[in-house]
Amino acid sequence: MSLNREQTARAGREIAANLALAGLSPETIAETLEFSPRRAAETLRVGPAADPVDVWAVRDLLDATIRGAGAEPAPWEVLTDKARVAAAQWFALRTPPTVTEAPAA
């Protein structure tokens, strides 16, 4: 399973929108998921070197953080729940840890 150029760009926009809604910094994402800053940056932009497993970990972390705060995430149009089920057939997806502290205001 892979994304075409348009889907990759949209997935990057989805992650950016939900990163803002979650109120998490790239540094918090990196720390929580135990990514290097470079790996986190590449994943957050869904760059060409981003590992699909990492992209799903970020997506799931953002989704859980937003929902845990009682809000609804921005629409996932590429990184949908249905697409996650399909991706799980291709990749060993993992459940990411949750952010235990509230993001700074």
Side-chain angles (χ1 to χ4, degrees):
M1 174 185 179
S2 61
L3 302 177
N4 64 35
R5 186 177 298 203
E6 179 184 332
Q7 291 169 320
T8 299
R10 284 193 340 203
R13 289 190 299 271
E14 291 175 10
I15 286 177
N18 283 299
L19 181 66
L21 284 175
L24 302 177
S25 68
E27 294 80 16
T28 299
I29 296 289
E31 183 178 301
T32 302
L33 295 175
E34 299 178 350
F35 289 177
S36 68
R38 185 178 192 171
R39 180 177 171 190
E42 183 70 2
T43 303
L44 288 169
R45 71 181 190 93
V46 192
D51 183 327
V53 173
D54 293 349
V55 172
W56 284 103
V58 167
R59 182 265 193 221
D60 293 343
L61 176 63
L62 294 173
D63 194 77
T65 300
I66 294 164
R67 291 181 191 282
E72 282 294 315
W76 297 108
E77 296 175 1
V78 175
L79 302 174
T80 65
D81 290 333
K82 183 177 178 181
R84 189 184 197 291
V85 170
Q89 295 175 1
W90 288 83
F91 308 108
L93 301 185
R94 62 188 175 109
T95 302
T98 56
V99 177
T100 57
E101 60 185 59

